[in-house]
Amino acid sequence: MKDKHSLSDVCACAIFLIGCLTLTLSASAQDVADDLLLPTSFHRSSGTINIGGINRCYDSYLSPNNYSGLAISGMVETWQQVKWGGGRWFEQDMYDTYVGLTTFGQGAALAAFENFTYALPWRVAAFDEYRFYVGPEVQARLGVVYNLRNSNNPANVKAALHAGAMGRAEANLDVSGVPVCLAYQLDLPLIGGFFAPEYTQSLYEIFTLDNESPVIHFASPANCFSTRQLVTIDVTHRHSITRFSLGYDVYQWHTSTAAFAIHTFQVGIGYVHNFYTIRPHETASQYIPY
């Protein structure tokens, strides 16, 4: 009888220990699984081809007229988490280049610009499927406006460097079972400098004859109020993401003797590709954020 009770006690203790071990391993496995699904870094790249119009192209240096016409452009954007900041700071690089042909009556002008923006967005809030960002940015612009008519000064170089701010809002939506990410971004250049020759002052006079007239001017919202607005719609289909974009860019400045303004409106289509680094090097294609 004593041996029987001893065997029962041993079995009960064994079952209890096995149960405890099973619960412990399950909890540990759950922790490990959760940890494996946490990306250590996130990198998103996108590219779009855009077509639209130049609603206004005004350059008092070339012609006191408002030109308008068609434009085609390409935009590349990268977005990634930074290593510091507890996962709430990000980096955004945006490169935009476009060429447009504008006309006014019998006159015509060619406008070509390259715009580069570097921003450090900070995620200020996140509510379920909504995220909001604000942060500083640096914006550089380089381009040329060439008047196709014959004249002594047919071209004018445009160059500017600005420090400013950006704001962005994102929403993850489900449209008939299709994941969609809707985003709106506003860029505001605030202070900086821009290159602006005086009226009839030629580039030869500036760079060859060392004309001492000021051609670099301080930029502020008072004389260079500009904005760039961008709406993107990312549609996920299986393992691919298609981006539709809608952008409106207003860049303008004025001095005591000259003024320039260019307003562009463009619609685009492209792609989005997400990169993840997950511990330890697991396949991340199923962990797309939207």
Side-chain angles (χ1 to χ4, degrees), residues 7-228:
L7 182 60
S8 300
D9 294 340
V10 171
C11 292
C13 291
I15 293 173
F16 177 76
L17 292 175
I18 292 173
C20 292
L21 182 61
T22 301
L23 292 175
T24 302
L25 291 177
S26 298
S28 300
Q30 183 64 40
D31 293 340
V32 171
D34 292 341
D35 184 64
L36 289 176
L37 298 182
L38 292 176
T40 59
S41 64
F42 167 63
H43 177 96
R44 179 179 70 211
S45 65
S46 64
T48 57
I49 297 297
N50 313 288
I51 187 170
I54 297 178
N55 299 341
R56 183 190 185 197
C57 181
Y58 177 84
D59 188 359
S60 63
Y61 181 84
L62 298 177
S63 174
N65 293 317
N66 287 310
Y67 291 75
S68 62
L70 298 176
I72 185 170
S73 74
M75 176 177 286
V76 176
E77 179 207 14
T78 61
W79 178 283
Q80 62 183 352
Q81 288 176 319
V82 297
K83 296 181 180 180
W84 42 268
R88 299 184 65 179
W89 283 94
F90 297 82
E91 282 183 321
Q92 183 191 44
D93 298 322
M94 190 179 297
Y95 175 74
D96 178 23
T97 178
Y98 66 88
V99 176
L101 179 63
T102 61
T103 60
F104 176 83
Q106 299 299 321
L110 180 69
F113 277 83
E114 293 185 350
N115 307 324
F116 176 76
T117 303
Y118 175 79
L120 282 173
W122 178 56
R123 191 179 64 224
V124 296
F127 307 101
D128 295 329
E129 304 301 326
Y130 302 92
R131 298 174 298 278
F132 302 91
Y133 306 85
V134 296
E137 71 174 16
V138 177
Q139 185 180 105
R141 293 175 179 258
L142 179 64
V144 63
V145 177
Y146 184 85
N147 199 313
L148 299 181
R149 68 178 184 178
N150 293 325
S151 64
N152 292 330
N153 299 317
N156 190 3
V157 175
K158 306 297 180 184
L161 181 64
H162 301 276
M166 60 83 70
R168 182 181 178 92
E170 295 180 347
N172 288 349
L173 308 175
D174 187 297
V175 180
S176 299
V178 177
V180 175
C181 180
L182 176 64
Y184 169 78
Q185 180 166 329
L186 174 65
D187 298 319
L188 290 172
L190 297 176
I191 61 172
F194 59 91
F195 173 80
E198 295 182 355
Y199 181 66
T200 71
Q201 185 181 13
S202 67
L203 300 179
Y204 172 80
E205 183 181 357
I206 296 170
F207 296 107
T208 304
L209 302 181
D210 296 328
N211 188 298
E212 296 182 357
S213 299
V215 294
I216 304 298
H217 301 266
F218 176 76
S220 71
N223 67 340
C224 189
F225 181 74
S226 305
T227 63
R228 181 172 63 183

Side-chain angles (χ1 to χ4, degrees), residues 264-283:
T264 61
F265 174 83
Q266 300 192 36
V267 177
I269 185 172
Y271 71 94
V272 177
H273 194 74
N274 297 313
F275 300 89
Y276 284 88
T277 301
I278 295 181
R279 300 184 300 267
H281 303 301
E282 299 287 337
T283 302

